[in-house]
Amino acid sequence: MSKENQGAMRSAITISLVPEARGGPFVFWDDLGAGIERAARLGFDAVEIFPPNPEFIDHSKAADLVAQAGLAVAAVGTGAGWVVHRWSLVADSPSERQHAIDFVKHMIDAAATLRAPAIIGSMQGRSLPELGRDGTRGRLRDSLEILDTHASQHGGQLLYEPLNRYETDLCNTLDIGLRLIDGLISTRLLADWFHMNIEEADLSAAIRRAGTAIGHVHFADSNRSAVGMGHQNPEPLIQALRDVGYSGYLSAEVFPLPDSETAAQTTIASFRRWLP
Ligand code: LER
Ligand code: MN
């Protein structure tokens, strides 16, 4: 693994277009064009989009909007499959599981038109009593293999995200995530600092172990507010990311507290402070 910094890390900020996700950790809401415009004005490099469905990407002319603003798309979330439809990649019902897989496949394709990866977070589901944790992990791995193959064949990319224990019991740490995606071609890990702050014994050590498997970072403080509003010291985490050669996005998936504009301003100020 290269120890050199192969490129600069870039800043991104989240925009949710999913009314059912109201109250969730997204900075800008409801209006893609307005969110992109505010991100550009504050000097972000990219936006991370949380769409209600894959068709939204085309219908909203997302590619044109980001191009006009001079921004990139850092990633596209698939969580609406769970939040809106309650579909999961480990669902016991084969038809529900197929809906989940198809939803993510279409999101991979839509994200690929923006040259962005699709994120699997809440779509991973939780252990089923009848399968147990290991059995359910096996089913999750089967779904990930199908999606990884789809991504590889369609020029897409996938990000798999370990979550904290209150959201899943399948994968809470980067180490478990590493094992789950082992051998996959187009899938990398999403290191969310909020989840990591709850689950990892040592965040920097976890980043170093995951190394080049890290494909995306959710840039959040200990309390899931903008970095700078909690008690997490970003310095050793940034150093660990530099040491493993990470050159992807630090994307603010945080609560819009005290309001969207302040969360966005605090995020970009922290980004510039820690990555001068
Ligand atoms: C999604 O990126 C995430 O972090 C989860 O907590 C779902 O909200
Ligand atoms: Mn996250």
Side-chain angles (χ1 to χ4, degrees):
M1 183 190 312
S2 166
K3 291 282 169 197
E4 300 201 349
N5 182 8
Q6 291 152 347
M9 287 178 240
R10 284 156 290 160
S11 59
I13 191 144
T14 46
I15 307 174
S16 171
L17 295 313
V18 180
E20 292 88 343
R22 179 86 41 211
F26 304 100
V27 178
F28 294 131
W29 286 84
D30 303 330
D31 183 333
L32 183 62
I36 287 170
E37 194 269 318
R38 289 162 86 186
R41 187 164 36 79
L42 287 166
F44 282 91
D45 297 309
V47 292
E48 178 176 321
I49 303 174
F50 191 69
N53 50 59
E55 296 74 29
F56 177 92
I57 296 296
D58 197 30
H59 292 165
S60 65
K61 304 207 181 326
D64 293 344
L65 292 173
V66 288
Q68 281 156 18
L71 297 186
V73 177
V76 175
T78 67
W82 171 251
V83 175
V84 178
H85 303 284
R86 289 290 184 252
W87 293 329
S88 131
L89 294 172
V90 298
D92 216 24
S93 144
S95 73
E96 270 179 47
R97 202 156 71 242
Q98 194 58 50
H99 280 308
I101 289 171
D102 290 343
F103 188 85
V104 178
K105 277 185 181 173
H106 292 144
M107 208 65 100
I108 290 169
D109 298 342
T113 67
L114 302 170
R115 308 163 86 98
I119 299 171
I120 294 178
S122 47
M123 286 294 277
Q124 68 192 275
R126 297 170 192 244
S127 287
L128 304 174
E130 52 276 34
L131 284 183
R133 185 154 69 173
D134 287 346
T136 314
R137 271 190 194 141
R139 182 176 281 175
L140 175 59
R141 167 73 192 199
D142 292 345
S143 295
L144 290 176
E145 283 180 14
I146 293 167
L147 295 169
D148 182 74
T149 301
H150 180 86
S152 300
Q153 290 173 346
H154 293 82
Q157 291 167 281
L158 209 50
L159 294 166
Y160 172 71
E161 179 173 22
L163 303 176
N164 75 72
R165 67 190 67 186
Y166 306 106
E167 298 186 35
T168 188
D169 56 354
L170 293 174
C171 176
N172 304 132
T173 62
L174 295 187
D175 283 344
I176 298 171
L178 269 181
R179 293 202 289 277
L180 256 172
I181 67 161
D182 186 41
L184 300 184
I185 309 294
S186 302
T187 306
R188 291 201 284 167
L189 290 179
L190 196 172
D192 181 322
W193 288 6
F194 167 72
H195 298 303
M196 291 176 69
N197 181 63
I198 295 171
E199 299 294 347
E200 303 286 358
D202 179 331
L203 282 72
S204 308
I207 289 170
R208 288 177 208 282
R209 285 194 302 275
T212 53
I214 298 175
H216 194 69
V217 170
H218 277 158
F219 187 60
D221 216 318
S222 51
N223 48 6
R224 216 171 206 182
S225 282
V227 169
M229 292 182 169
H231 62 72
Q232 178 70 55
N233 176 9
E235 193 171 20
L237 279 63
I238 298 286
Q239 189 57 51
L241 288 167
R242 282 205 171 105
D243 289 347
V244 300
Y246 181 71
S247 59
Y249 289 100
L250 300 183
S251 183
E253 188 192 60
V254 300
F255 293 121
L257 293 173
D259 53 69
S260 298
E261 196 65 24
T262 310
Q265 283 172 8
T266 306
T267 293
I268 200 70
S270 291
F271 183 86
R272 289 178 178 144
R273 174 173 176 200
W274 298 107
L275 293 122

